[in-house]
Amino acid sequence: QKSLETNLFVVIPWCGKLIKMWPSSAATPKMLARAGRNASCRALAVPTATSSPTSSHAPRRCLSLSPLLCRERKQQQHHSMLWQQQPLLMQRSWFSTTSAAAAAASESGIPVVVPPATGQPSSAPSAFVSGSSFRESREQVGLSERQEAFLIERLPLDWDESDLNKSCAEAGLDLGEDFRSKILIMRSRLGRSLGRMMVLSPAHLPHIKHVCPPGTTYRAMDRNDVVQFVEQCERFVDLSDDLRRLARPEYFKRIITITEVPESYGRKDIAYVIKERCGVEVKPQDIVFRFKRWGRQSDTCFVICPTAKDADHCVAQIQELAVPKKAAYGSLFGAAFLWSSRATLFLSHPELDFVLDSRYWVFTSGWQESMTSDDLLGVLRQLKFRPTRAVRHYIPSDQSAAFFVEFEGMQRTKKAMTQLQRLKKRWRVKQDMPFFAYPRRIDIHRECETRFEDEDSAEDSDLEEPVHY
């Protein structure tokens, strides 16, 4: 490594850092194979221009490789200096920390036993706190110390409280005779279990997975997680009523969609973020979360803003907005980035119940109030659209007209959305204003059904894929 007269250097990268450099003469195939296995990547060969130190390319080669070698030598010298001065540095830091602790304790009247200056430990009990404890946060407490319950997921849908109580007893946990009051099952509005059950017990029981059916998952929960799970159960039962409330005509332009929401967030957390970052007060009941299959909360929520102007302001402010992943613990668990837009619109009217009889519809809004379906079809044909029919719907929030336009197939439907996107730019429509969208019905689960269409993978087809335009 001291000589730079070789023609080839073998560089093994690992996470963007340089681990080792071997000259080609010293690097054997066995060493390369072992380094390749350790680094989990391919060896990168970097050839040099010439092997002669008198060549014109030699200075360039030295400038490009010598800083790496010098950096390694400096690091080695720095580590050796630290190793030689480690007792002195530890003694100085110990003395300063001990002095500060003794001064603070003397003012408060707490007796402190300071070890002698020779560094020998004292046999008396000491109130001195180690220096490392000052660097640790008080909130960094292990989950086992703050656990209040645990969550069991992916259980059979026909299980109830008694079945889970038997599994807990086999795992060594006795819930007592009032075990039903300690088990919370997440159910739908129809009263059906979703396979998620929370047991209110501070006992750490990860081996219960082996007693339950295969595929069951276990997760310990602290107090904040318990509150969030109870809120999710309540919101999942009231989801149908919340969606109907979102579809009110007066809320058409006041709804914004926030994505990339951490799974630990609830209604109050989103309301707090909007109030602090946007200055807009939103009621917690005006925030509706989406849910995935089996009752898991999605990373998308819908917010009803007080006015349309406030909705525009929130959309402008919440763009890659950094928030803690867990609001209860600040920045200890990292950050997430929120995005907002008017990506979802809601409509509900008796006349629209049987309109979407196919998948080849496009919704467009913002047209003149006096415009009829025939007028829109004439305008679209002049713009080289090929619609088959149009259904008009009045928007009372801004006194405009909206239309559901049907096309012959999915290919022409996607092409129409591409043309509408060009018209939106040509007509200089505001980016945040809803000009067109792809309509679809909300998934409905009926009590008489045992197999739902949205959960049947056999019903999926190419037409269900996202529409790219």
Side-chain angles (χ1 to χ4, degrees):
Q1 293 182 359
K2 296 181 181 180
S3 175
L4 296 178
E5 299 180 0
T6 56
N7 293 332
L8 185 66
F9 276 86
V10 180
V11 183
I12 304 299
W14 175 259
C15 297
K17 298 181 181 179
L18 185 65
I19 293 183
K20 294 181 179 179
M21 289 184 60
W22 293 304
S24 59
S25 58
T28 62
K30 186 175 181 180
M31 296 171 59
L32 294 178
R34 183 171 63 253
R37 289 194 303 267
N38 296 336
S40 300
C41 59
R42 296 182 179 178
L44 175 63
V46 184
T48 56
T50 179
S51 59
S52 175
T54 59
S55 175
S56 59
H57 298 281
R60 180 180 301 178
R61 179 186 57 190
C62 296
L63 289 177
S64 60
L65 295 178
S66 58
L68 298 175
L69 302 177
C70 294
R71 188 183 307 171
E72 292 182 358
R73 294 177 183 176
K74 289 182 179 179
Q75 290 179 356
Q76 295 176 359
Q77 295 176 3
H78 178 67
H79 290 317
S80 62
M81 292 176 61
L82 287 181
W83 178 258
Q84 297 174 1
Q85 300 178 2
Q86 187 176 5
L88 179 61
L89 292 176
M90 291 179 60
Q91 183 178 0
R92 289 181 179 179
S93 61
W94 172 85
F95 178 77
S96 60
T97 310
T98 308
S99 303
S106 61
E107 295 180 359
S108 58
I110 302 177
V112 179
V113 179
V114 180
T118 58
Q120 299 296 332
S122 176
S123 59
S126 174
F128 168 67
V129 183
S130 63
S132 61
S133 62
F134 288 100
R135 297 191 297 267
E136 297 176 358
S137 175
R138 295 182 178 179
E139 297 179 352
Q140 290 182 350
V141 183
L143 183 58
S144 59
E145 300 180 11
R146 52 188 171 89
Q147 177 181 346
E148 296 189 5
F150 58 87
L151 179 66
I152 306 295
E153 296 180 291
R154 297 185 180 180
L155 289 170
L157 302 182
D158 55 349
W159 271 40
D160 55 2
E161 293 88 347
S162 59
D163 297 326
L164 185 58
N165 183 36
K166 294 179 182 179
S167 299
C168 292
E170 294 179 6
L173 177 62
D174 186 13
L175 298 178
E177 298 181 356
D178 57 341
F179 63 90
R180 295 185 182 274
S181 62
K182 299 180 181 179
I183 299 177
L184 177 60
I185 302 179
M186 189 173 189
R187 300 181 183 272
S188 64
R189 188 171 183 174
L190 302 177
R192 298 177 179 176
S193 174
L194 298 177
R196 306 183 71 195
M197 301 184 186
M198 182 185 68
V199 181
L200 192 63
S201 174
H204 188 50
L205 213 68
H207 56 277
I208 196 176
K209 299 184 297 182
H210 306 291
V211 181
C212 297
T216 305
T217 59
Y218 169 89
R219 181 167 68 92
M221 305 176 71
D222 58 2
R223 183 176 182 82
N224 182 63
D225 296 333
V226 172
V227 173
Q228 295 297 337
F229 182 76
V230 174
E231 181 185 341
Q232 287 183 19
C233 294
E234 180 184 359
R235 286 191 276 108
F236 190 75
V237 173
D238 300 336
L239 182 59
S240 300
D241 297 334
D242 292 337
L243 292 177
R244 289 183 180 273
R245 187 159 49 90
L246 289 175
R248 290 182 181 178
E250 59 269 19
Y251 296 156
F252 183 73
K253 289 192 174 182
R254 292 164 52 182
I255 299 176
I256 64 173
T257 304
I258 301 180
T259 57
E260 305 298 332
V261 180
E263 59 179 4
S264 62
Y265 270 50
R267 289 180 169 180
K268 294 183 179 179
D269 300 326
I270 295 296
Y272 177 79
V273 170
I274 295 177
K275 182 179 179 180
E276 291 294 323
R277 302 300 179 92
C278 306
V280 178
E281 293 188 5
V282 179
K283 300 179 181 179
Q285 58 267 24
D286 290 340
I287 301 174
V288 181
F289 279 85
R290 285 188 60 184
F291 283 89
K292 301 178 183 179
R293 194 179 180 182
W294 311 123
R296 296 186 62 90
Q297 178 178 294
S298 176
D299 61 346
T300 304
C301 67
F302 311 108
V303 182
I304 304 177
C305 297
T307 60
K309 186 177 180 180
D310 293 336
D312 295 337
H313 178 67
C314 292
V315 170
Q317 294 294 326
I318 305 177
Q319 297 294 332
E320 201 175 2
L321 180 62
V323 295
K325 285 188 176 181
K326 290 191 177 182
Y329 301 102
S331 59
L332 293 177
F333 295 92
F337 298 91
L338 304 182
W339 299 82
S340 65
S341 62
R342 281 193 171 93
T344 308
L345 306 174
F346 294 89
L347 282 177
S348 178
H349 197 271
E351 298 179 356
L352 303 177
D353 290 344
F354 302 99
V355 169
L356 301 180
D357 53 356
S358 66
R359 301 185 180 95
Y360 315 132
W361 290 86
V362 175
F363 175 80
T364 176
S365 63
W367 299 90
Q368 191 174 353
E369 180 183 2
S370 60
M371 199 170 189
T372 62
S373 300
D374 296 335
D375 297 337
L376 179 69
L377 292 176
V379 172
L380 293 180
R381 290 191 177 97
Q382 291 181 2
L383 296 174
K384 297 182 180 180
F385 285 80
R386 296 295 182 267
T388 57
R389 61 169 174 156
V391 179
R392 182 181 181 274
H393 180 72
Y394 177 67
I395 306 296
S397 60
D398 57 353
Q399 298 181 356
S400 63
F403 296 91
F404 292 87
V405 186
E406 186 181 13
F407 295 87
E408 291 184 0
M410 182 56 67
Q411 183 177 2
R412 291 196 174 183
T413 302
K414 294 181 179 181
K415 186 176 181 181
M417 299 183 73
T418 304
Q419 292 175 336
L420 288 174
Q421 177 70 13
R422 295 174 182 174
L423 287 179
K424 183 177 181 179
K425 295 181 179 180
R426 183 180 303 175
W427 292 347
R428 298 182 180 179
V429 181
K430 292 178 59 177
Q431 184 68 24
D432 299 330
M433 294 302 295
F435 181 61
F436 67 96
Y438 180 74
R440 54 165 298 180
R441 293 176 180 173
I442 294 178
D443 299 328
I444 300 176
H445 295 182
R446 296 176 175 85
E447 189 174 4
C448 60
E449 297 177 347
T450 58
R451 191 173 185 178
F452 308 112
E453 295 182 358
D454 59 296
E455 296 180 356
D456 187 8
S457 59
E459 296 292 335
D460 297 340
S461 62
D462 296 338
L463 301 178
E464 296 289 346
E465 296 296 326
V467 180
H468 302 283
Y469 50 88

